[in-house]
Amino acid sequence: MPELPEVETTVRGLEPVLQDQRIERVTLNRSDLRRPFPQDLGQRLTGATVTGLGRRAKYGLIDTDRGDTLVFHLGMSGRWRIDPAELGKHDHVVIETAGHRLALNDARRFGSLDLVPTAGLEQWPAFAALGPEPLGPEFSAEHLAKAFKDRIAPVKALLLDQRVVAGLGNIYVCEALYLAGIAPHREAGTISKPRLVKLVEAVRDVLTAAIAAGGSTLKDYARPDGELGYFAKQWRVYGREGEPCGSGGVVERRVDSGRSTFWCPQCQK
């Protein structure tokens, strides 16, 4: 599933072709993805001008001058295609401006599109309970200390809890915990403040590097320009069971709540 870096990369790829552009035509080739599209979505977008693009957690945001924000989630396999030579059967939504055609392609149809009043975006149900952005100023060791206080849950589980921090997914949590030297199954409430400082730094470093590399390519993910993300080549532990971690240990895999956790018992305590 595309995680925060993949969504951020997508938004940055869309910005040069959508910012300040008037939407001339919207074509819906089906009525839904994971759930039905908003009523009159095409009519409400046609004629609107894009005033800004952004991201919240794993959602992309496209603001318009009509006071609405188009919120998209890429699900398991979704991606935006810019100026495709031909439209395919999985190009379910097509947005056209004077100079470009963008197609939302989603073979597995686990993505979503919503049109939300911009002024009420933070109160929208999917956003209302979200924690701080991991690259923003509110994500800090103090925040984690408060969220982890007296918690016996594994630190990895809490980092994946979107109420604690928004946008983190399995790949980048595994990588950040390795970089911080913290075992994924360690009780969150037992982690000292200095180690939380290191964890915050590790989360930011991993996400920043992943965004710079265009994200990680897993199965169907690709950037809007069709290029693949290359952060997978920098993975220290994820997907590397049985391989050296680079610091003298060997990567192991365990299954936690149905998800694979990759870690190094020698380096992470």
Side-chain angles (χ1 to χ4, degrees):
M1 176 182 291
E3 298 184 15
L4 185 155
E6 289 76 42
V7 179
E8 181 68 28
T9 298
T10 295
V11 169
R12 294 184 184 187
L14 293 175
E15 189 169 21
V17 298
L18 274 183
Q19 180 67 47
D20 299 324
Q21 297 300 303
R22 183 178 184 272
I23 297 173
E24 303 285 347
R25 183 179 297 105
V26 178
T27 303
L28 305 179
N29 294 322
R30 58 179 301 113
S31 62
D32 62 1
L33 289 176
R34 186 173 63 205
R35 55 179 180 269
F37 295 138
Q39 189 173 11
D40 301 327
L41 175 64
Q43 294 179 16
R44 293 166 66 186
L45 284 178
T46 300
T49 296
V50 175
T51 58
L53 292 94
R55 177 194 53 76
R56 181 70 169 111
K58 300 176 186 179
Y59 292 84
L61 311 174
I62 302 174
D63 298 331
T64 74
D65 63 350
R66 292 182 175 174
D68 291 322
T69 295
L70 182 66
V71 182
F72 65 85
H73 193 288
L74 297 174
M76 299 293 290
S77 61
R79 65 188 182 100
W80 286 97
R81 300 203 299 149
I82 297 176
D83 296 327
E86 295 182 357
L87 294 177
K89 67 177 182 179
H90 299 305
D91 291 322
H92 304 305
V93 179
V94 180
I95 294 177
E96 297 176 68
T97 66
H100 295 282
R101 179 169 67 173
L102 295 93
L104 179 58
N105 184 283
D106 189 353
R108 300 178 69 180
R109 300 200 304 273
F110 284 127
S112 63
L113 278 182
D114 293 280
L115 200 57
V116 182
T118 306
L121 202 57
E122 285 301 312
Q123 288 73 48
W124 187 51
F127 291 173
L130 287 178
E133 289 287 324
L135 294 175
E138 294 180 358
F139 180 61
S140 63
E142 290 74 19
H143 168 74
L144 288 183
K146 183 177 180 180
F148 290 176
K149 183 177 174 58
D150 299 327
R151 299 294 298 272
I152 63 173
V155 59
K156 184 192 175 194
L158 290 187
L159 289 175
L160 289 172
D161 186 337
Q162 300 298 291
R163 298 168 297 181
V164 173
V165 55
L168 292 184
N170 196 40
I171 294 173
Y172 301 105
V173 168
C174 286
E175 290 291 303
L177 287 171
Y178 171 76
L179 199 61
I182 299 173
H185 52 278
R186 185 183 180 95
E187 292 183 7
T190 68
I191 302 173
S192 67
K193 182 71 172 294
R195 300 192 76 191
L196 290 180
V197 170
K198 190 172 182 179
L199 177 57
V200 168
E201 293 174 351
V203 167
R204 289 179 172 154
D205 287 347
V206 166
L207 293 178
T208 300
I211 292 168
S216 299
T217 297
L218 284 176
K219 297 183 180 178
D220 305 291
Y221 170 72
R223 296 184 293 188
D225 60 5
E227 292 295 318
L228 303 178
Y230 292 102
F231 187 68
K233 295 182 179 180
Q234 301 178 39
W235 289 346
R236 296 171 175 87
V237 290
Y238 191 85
R240 299 186 58 207
E241 180 183 9
E243 298 179 23
C245 74
S247 298
V250 176
V251 176
E252 294 187 5
R253 183 179 75 91
R254 52 183 286 156
V255 178
D256 299 307
S257 302
R259 295 180 178 179
S260 290
T261 296
F262 297 91
W263 69 301
C264 176
Q266 179 172 311
C267 300
Q268 296 173 253
K269 305 295 181 181

